[in-house]
Amino acid sequence: MRTNAEYQSDVLIIGSGAAGLSLALKLADHAKVTVLSKSGLTEGSTLYAQGGIAAVFDEADSVEGHVADTLVAGAGLCDEDTVSFTASSAAASLNWLIDKGAPFDQVADDNGEQQYHLTKEGGHSHRRILHAADATGKVVQTTLIDNVSQHPNITLMERFNAVDLISTKQLNQATNRIVGAYVWNREAEKVEVIKARFVILATGGASKVYQYTSNPDVSSGDGIAMAWRAGCRVANMEFNQFHPTCLFHPDAKNFLLTEALRGEGAYLRHADGTRFMPSFDERAELAPRDIVARAIDFEMKRLGSDCVYLDISHKPAEFIISHFPTIYERCLKLGIDITTDPIPAVPAAHYTCGGVMTDLTGQTDMRGLYAIGEVAYTGLHGANRLASNSLLECIVFAHAAADDVLSKLHKTRKDYRIPAWDESKVTNSDEEVIIQHNWHELRLFMWDYVGIVRTTKRLERALRRVNLLQQEIDEYYSNFRVSNNLLELRNLVTVADLIIRSALERKESRGLHYTLDYPEQFDEPEPTILQPKV
C-alpha cells in the first residue's frame, strides 16, 4: 500500500516545546509554518521544567558573571563564543517572552516598585533566575501555545511522529539539502509526506534511553537519530546530565525536585538527618549538578540506601508553600508534608548536553536543516549544563535560527517531487513483545553500564549489547509497519550507540563523564565529535 497524503510548508518545525514554538512565532509573520508534535502540544520537557530561566536582570549582576559561571560548570569544554552570545542575548530574549505574556514572579523593592523575583541555583554566583513559582516551564509553554494557536500562518499537527528526513540526495539530485520529512500520522496509522524549504529539529533530548529519568515519555532522541541518519555530525554525546534530586516514591513517575529548592536553602541528608555535601565540595548543596549527583550516588552505594533526603523543613512553612506550591501539593498527595518532613530523592537522567552539531544560527551540516534546543550541540553546555541555561538556550537559538531562515527564505523556492512511503513489502507485527523486551533491556543496561559512574569494561559490555539490539531492531523495522514504540526504539538504540561510543573515546573524567579507569583530566580537552558514514 502506498500513501498519498502530502503537505507543503515553507518551514517544518519538528517539536513543540519552547524552542519549536518560539521559532514558529518568530517566523510566522513572514512564512507558512508547520509545527509537528509527537503527542499533545503540552507533553514535552518544557512543560515540566520547574526552576526557571537564567538572565541578567539585576544591576549588581553582569553578563560576564553569567558567562564565567557557565564556563566553570562546563568544566573546560564550553565554546566561549557561544556562551558569550547566549548570555548577551538572554535579557532581550526573555523580554520578548515577557511581551508575549509570560508572567514571571515579581516582588516589591524598597521603594514599593515591582521588580522580577530572581532566585539562585547551583553553580550560579548571583541571583539571576527568572521563574514562575516552581512551574516556570508550564507558564512558558502555555504562553507560547496561546500565541501560536492564534496565528493564521501556523499549522499545528499533533500526534505525528517524524520518521526520517528527506534529502535531495535520496531524490537523485546533484545537490544535497533537506527538503522535508516522512511523518507517521498516529491517528490514521499511516506515513505521510511534509515538504518544506527548511526543516528545524526542536525535538529535545534523549534521557528516555535510561531506566530512570525526569523526562516525559516523548524524550526519545528522535531528532539526534534522524540527523545522524541524514549525515549530520554529533558531538559530546557522553555528557548526560543526571539531575541530583527526583522524587523517590512508587507512585511518583518522573517527578523532579527543582534545583531551586537547594538554591533557597534545602539540605541533602542521610536517613539519620546528617548532611553529607559539605564533605564533597565547599559549595555543598549549591555545587554543580554533576558533583551533587555523584555524591548522592556514592553515598547511596556506600550505605546501601535506596535514596537520600532533601530537606527544606527548617524554612518557614509560608515561604515553602509560596515558593514551591507544585512540589508541596504533589508531595502532600503522597503523604509527604515538605514543610515538616524531608523528601526522599534519587538522581535520574535529566538532560542531554551533546547533540547535533550546529553553528550560532542553528544550521547543521546539512543545508536546509537546523537544530535548536536540547537536540543541538552548540558548545554552550560543555561537559555539564549550568542550571536554568536550558530554556534560555531554546529561546535564544530560536531567535537566531529565525533570523537566518528569513534571510534565506526568498532564495529557496525549488519544488521537489518526493515519492510516497512504500509499505508494499511490510506487514503488521505479530510480535510486539520483541519491542517491549528490547526497550526494557536497552534502558536497563544503559542505566547499569553507562550511568553516573562508568568503567571501560562496563562501556564495552554496553557496546556489545547495543550492537546486537541494533541488528534486531533494524531487521524488525524492515519487515513490519511502523508504530510509535518501534519508531522511538529505533531512535533510542541509535542514540544509545552514539552515547556509548562517545564515552569510550573520552579517556578522562570531566564534568558529567566520570570513569574509574581514567580519573584524571586532560590539560587541553576537545569535544568528542562523531562523523556518520553515509
Side-chain angles (χ1 to χ4, degrees):
M1 181 181 72
R2 295 173 68 89
T3 61
N4 298 313
E6 181 175 287
Y7 306 91
Q8 179 83 48
S9 190
D10 291 325
V11 181
L12 168 62
I13 300 171
I14 304 174
S16 57
L21 295 185
S22 295
L23 177 62
L25 282 174
K26 290 288 290 184
L27 292 171
D29 287 344
H30 311 280
K32 294 288 186 181
V33 180
T34 297
V35 178
L36 206 71
S37 181
K38 188 162 68 172
S39 185
L41 281 181
T42 58
E43 188 56 25
S45 292
T46 296
L47 186 81
Y48 298 99
Q50 295 176 353
I53 311 180
V56 174
F57 272 75
D58 186 344
E59 292 182 359
D61 194 9
S62 67
V63 169
E64 292 75 19
H66 189 180
V67 169
D69 291 343
T70 301
L71 294 175
V72 169
L77 268 184
C78 295
D79 181 278
E80 292 194 30
D81 289 341
T82 302
V83 175
S84 295
F85 170 75
T86 307
S88 299
S89 306
S93 296
L94 271 274
N95 279 320
W96 174 84
L97 196 55
I98 290 165
D99 288 342
K100 295 297 179 186
F104 295 114
D105 287 359
Q106 299 186 45
V107 293
D109 62 16
D110 294 338
N111 298 320
E113 296 182 5
Q114 290 293 307
Q115 61 181 8
Y116 289 107
H117 180 266
L118 304 173
T119 190
K120 186 178 180 182
E121 296 182 352
H124 288 273
S125 60
H126 206 94
R127 285 183 172 267
R128 64 170 70 97
I129 315 300
L130 274 75
H131 64 101
D134 60 347
T136 307
K138 183 177 181 180
V139 163
V140 169
Q141 185 73 6
T142 53
T143 297
L144 291 171
I145 289 172
D146 288 344
N147 282 269
V148 299
S149 61
Q150 298 174 29
H151 204 292
N153 278 355
I154 299 176
T155 300
L156 301 171
M157 299 177 67
E158 296 182 87
R159 295 185 61 76
F160 278 78
N161 292 58
V163 179
D164 266 320
L165 299 166
I166 303 168
S167 70
T168 52
K169 184 178 180 181
Q170 296 168 255
L171 306 177
N172 299 315
Q173 300 288 320
T175 58
N176 194 17
R177 67 174 290 122
I178 299 299
V179 292
Y182 288 111
V183 302
W184 187 61
N185 183 331
R186 294 172 68 172
E187 299 296 339
E189 295 190 342
K190 63 180 181 179
V191 178
E192 300 171 342
V193 172
I194 302 180
K195 297 164 67 173
R197 290 149 72 183
F198 295 91
V199 177
I200 290 85
L201 299 172
T203 52
S207 287
K208 197 177 175 182
V209 78
Y210 288 100
Q211 184 176 21
Y212 302 110
T213 174
S214 65
N215 285 196
D217 287 342
V218 294
S219 300
S220 51
D222 302 333
I224 297 170
M226 286 190 294
W228 174 257
R229 290 194 292 267
C232 294
R233 292 172 298 163
V234 299
N236 280 10
M237 290 298 295
E238 70 269 37
F239 296 116
N240 314 101
Q241 188 178 77
F242 291 83
H243 197 287
T245 52
C246 282
L247 181 62
F248 180 72
H249 193 282
D251 297 328
K253 181 184 177 184
N254 305 347
F255 189 74
L256 186 70
L257 299 171
T258 174
E259 186 106 7
L261 280 161
R262 284 176 285 129
E264 294 296 344
Y267 296 132
L268 283 163
R269 302 185 188 274
H270 290 306
D272 64 3
T274 57
R275 291 176 65 195
F276 57 87
M277 277 310 303
S279 64
F280 285 90
D281 193 282
E282 63 183 9
R283 291 163 291 188
E285 282 81 5
L286 290 180
R289 289 176 176 176
D290 60 321
I291 295 172
V292 179
R294 277 200 303 275
I296 294 172
D297 182 71
F298 179 86
E299 290 298 290
M300 287 173 59
K301 289 175 178 174
R302 181 177 71 87
L303 297 172
S305 305
D306 290 330
C307 65
V308 295
Y309 294 87
L310 188 62
D311 186 11
I312 198 170
S313 64
H314 51 280
K315 292 285 187 177
E318 183 180 347
F319 172 88
I320 296 170
I321 295 170
S322 64
H323 278 72
F324 306 106
T326 305
I327 295 173
Y328 173 75
E329 291 171 10
R330 183 75 175 97
C331 288
L332 202 61
K333 289 179 181 177
L334 298 170
I336 305 166
D337 184 347
I338 68 172
T339 66
T340 58
D341 304 323
I343 313 166
V346 292
H350 182 61
Y351 192 86
T352 306
C353 286
V356 183
M357 292 188 71
T358 74
D359 62 15
L360 290 181
T361 69
Q363 174 71 54
T364 71
D365 292 334
M366 293 290 293
R367 290 174 57 205
L369 180 67
Y370 294 72
I372 55 174
E374 192 176 352
V375 67
Y377 165 80
T378 63
L380 173 62
H381 305 306
N384 187 17
R385 176 177 69 84
L386 181 66
S388 289
N389 270 354
S390 51
L391 287 177
L392 173 64
E393 180 185 35
C394 291
I395 312 300
V396 167
F397 282 89
H399 290 193
D403 291 341
D404 197 63
V405 167
L406 290 175
S407 73
K408 300 172 181 176
L409 197 62
H410 69 285
K411 305 174 187 175
T412 312
R413 296 193 178 278
K414 186 172 181 179
D415 192 17
Y416 296 92
R417 184 182 180 278
I418 297 175
W421 186 261
D422 189 354
E423 288 189 338
S424 61
K425 297 179 182 179
V426 297
T427 61
N428 289 322
S429 170
D430 58 355
E431 298 184 39
E432 191 73 14
V433 67
I434 293 175
I435 294 180
Q436 298 304 322
H437 181 273
N438 287 353
W439 189 289
H440 176 72
E441 181 183 350
L442 173 68
R443 300 181 73 203
L444 182 60
F445 76 65
M446 286 297 291
W447 182 262
D448 288 341
Y449 301 150
V450 200
I452 296 172
V453 178
R454 301 163 177 175
T455 67
T456 300
K457 183 180 288 187
R458 292 174 192 166
L459 293 173
E460 290 173 344
R461 192 173 290 144
L463 187 62
R464 288 193 295 271
R465 279 159 173 74
V466 85
N467 286 338
L468 289 172
L469 279 183
Q470 278 187 310
Q471 293 172 22
E472 282 191 20
I473 294 163
D474 286 346
E475 181 181 354
Y476 194 99
Y477 182 79
S478 299
N479 289 301
F480 297 110
R481 290 193 176 95
V482 299
S483 66
N484 179 67
N485 285 346
L486 176 56
L487 291 172
E488 288 192 338
L489 180 60
R490 178 187 182 224
N491 291 332
L492 280 175
V493 77
T494 298
V495 170
D497 177 63
L498 296 174
I499 292 170
I500 297 163
R501 287 166 54 193
S502 298
L504 281 166
E505 284 201 17
R506 185 163 295 281
K507 309 296 186 184
E508 64 164 350
S509 289
R510 182 175 299 275
L512 300 166
H513 174 72
Y514 186 80
T515 170
L516 297 176
D517 293 316
Y518 301 97
E520 303 301 322
Q521 292 189 350
F522 296 147
D523 292 334
E524 297 182 6
E526 296 289 339
T528 303
I529 299 173
L530 300 182
Q531 175 78 51
K533 297 176 183 178
V534 293

